[in-house]
Amino acid sequence: MNASKQAFTIAALIHLLDVLYFRIGMAVSTEDQKFTLQEVLDTFKICLSENKEVLLEHYVAGWRGLVRFMNSLGSVFSFISKDAVSKIQILVNLMKGEGGANYLTIQSMVKYEMDNQLVDLTKKGSFPESGCRTLLRLHRALRWLELFLERLRTSTDDSKTSAMCSEAYNESLAQYHPWIIRKAAGTAFWYLPGRAVFFDVMNVGSPEQVIHLLASGPEQRADRFGVAKRSAGSGNWLDMDTAFNDTVFAPGGTCARQEALSR
């Protein structure tokens, strides 16, 4: 089977799982599985401590909410949500491990792992599940979601969610995925529900209320996600990689080392 057929087969399987999910999975949903955009944004908002450090526990809690959001839309996003779940578990294990005291905030985690040489600065190394590397991968997915939500906010009723999601994916996660995954993802996005379904899943209220929430000021929205760029002159909240570098990795001269980490 050639690569093109493999990609189509993967996308078809995703669609079949999607149908199965809605017919069976959604019927047994619980209160704990419900997603509300407001609650998730509020969770990310309290990530920031009084001294503007990012509390890892709340960051993880916010991500769990985003996973519920993706799962509530079926299996189309499963290749992203499943990866996010595995990354979340890595961070949880680190927080609960012997060195857990060093994983209270993102800043303390970075300092601890860098000082103790627990971070791989090449693609392959001895610490593939370091907190820094794991967080960077979650952050890339967060950027994709941010780009997609911004497109939803500015879209119209007849806008194609498949096109919006593909554009956001191509600007973010796609550059880190192999061709076969990019091809399958692009095909799977065609099965996304319409704009109205996304707004309904957010459990905010009317479309106008959803748009109002998504239209929060740039600095406010960036703060809610706990990774805002805090250096002077910051203006583009969607430039999440730059924001992440300046917020987390710049202190202590680690920004240059993060550049190698992000490859």
Side-chain angles (χ1 to χ4, degrees):
M1 183 182 294
N2 60 38
S4 180
K5 288 183 178 180
Q6 283 182 317
F8 180 80
T9 300
I10 292 173
L13 288 172
I14 289 175
H15 178 58
L16 289 174
L17 288 172
D18 187 44
V19 173
L20 182 63
Y21 180 89
F22 274 103
R23 290 185 178 179
I24 300 177
M26 293 297 287
V28 295
S29 62
T30 65
E31 283 294 314
D32 185 58
Q33 292 175 316
K34 288 184 178 179
F35 168 88
T36 62
L37 181 62
Q38 182 67 67
E39 289 183 6
V40 173
L41 291 177
D42 288 343
T43 300
F44 275 114
K45 184 177 181 179
I46 62 175
C47 281
L48 293 177
S49 65
E50 292 183 358
N51 60 350
K52 301 302 181 181
E53 291 195 355
V54 183
L55 300 171
L56 202 53
E57 180 181 5
H58 294 307
Y59 182 85
V60 166
W63 251 110
R64 283 180 171 138
L66 293 179
V67 168
R68 289 199 300 273
F69 171 58
M70 290 186 281
N71 287 343
S72 66
L73 292 165
S75 59
V76 174
F77 290 146
S78 62
F79 74 103
I80 296 175
S81 65
K82 288 180 180 178
D83 185 61
V85 168
S86 68
K87 298 297 184 289
I88 290 170
Q89 190 57 53
I90 291 173
L91 293 180
V92 170
N93 291 342
L94 290 172
M95 288 189 290
K96 292 183 177 180
E98 293 182 2
N102 299 295
Y103 291 87
L104 297 180
T105 70
I106 291 178
Q107 286 78 2
S108 66
M109 176 190 75
V110 171
K111 185 179 186 306
Y112 170 70
E113 291 193 344
M114 289 295 189
D115 289 350
N116 291 277
Q117 299 182 343
L118 299 176
V119 181
D120 293 326
L121 300 181
T122 59
K123 291 183 178 180
K124 295 181 180 180
S126 304
F127 305 100
E129 295 188 350
S130 66
C132 291
R133 184 172 288 277
T134 298
L135 196 68
L136 183 61
R137 280 154 173 72
L138 279 175
H139 188 70
R140 290 168 178 169
L142 184 62
R143 182 170 190 263
W144 158 75
L145 190 54
E146 281 282 276
L147 289 168
F148 181 43
L149 289 178
E150 178 64 11
R151 282 172 166 79
L152 277 177
R153 182 185 74 82
T154 58
S155 65
T156 59
D157 290 337
D158 59 351
S159 296
K160 293 184 178 296
T161 56
S162 58
M164 290 185 283
C165 192
S166 293
E167 291 170 0
Y169 176 74
N170 290 334
E171 291 178 23
S172 54
L173 281 175
Q175 60 186 303
Y176 305 108
H177 289 164
W179 180 87
I180 189 67
I181 296 298
R182 297 197 304 269
K183 189 69 174 178
T187 304
F189 290 154
W190 284 103
Y191 298 109
L192 286 176
R195 177 177 182 258
V197 174
F198 277 93
F199 281 10
D200 184 58
V201 167
M202 291 178 190
N203 288 314
V204 173
S206 66
E208 292 75 19
Q209 289 173 304
V210 175
I211 292 173
H212 176 74
L213 183 60
L214 292 175
S216 301
E219 291 300 324
Q220 182 182 11
R221 287 188 63 185
D223 280 350
R224 280 177 172 174
F225 282 93
V227 288
K229 183 177 182 180
R230 309 212 172 271
S231 58
S234 171
N236 185 3
W237 71 279
L238 287 176
D239 189 7
M240 300 294 284
D241 280 318
T242 302
F244 189 80
N245 294 346
D246 286 359
T247 303
V248 178
F249 290 95
T254 57
C255 188
R257 282 178 283 178
Q258 193 277 334
E259 183 178 354
L261 175 67
S262 64
R263 293 171 186 168

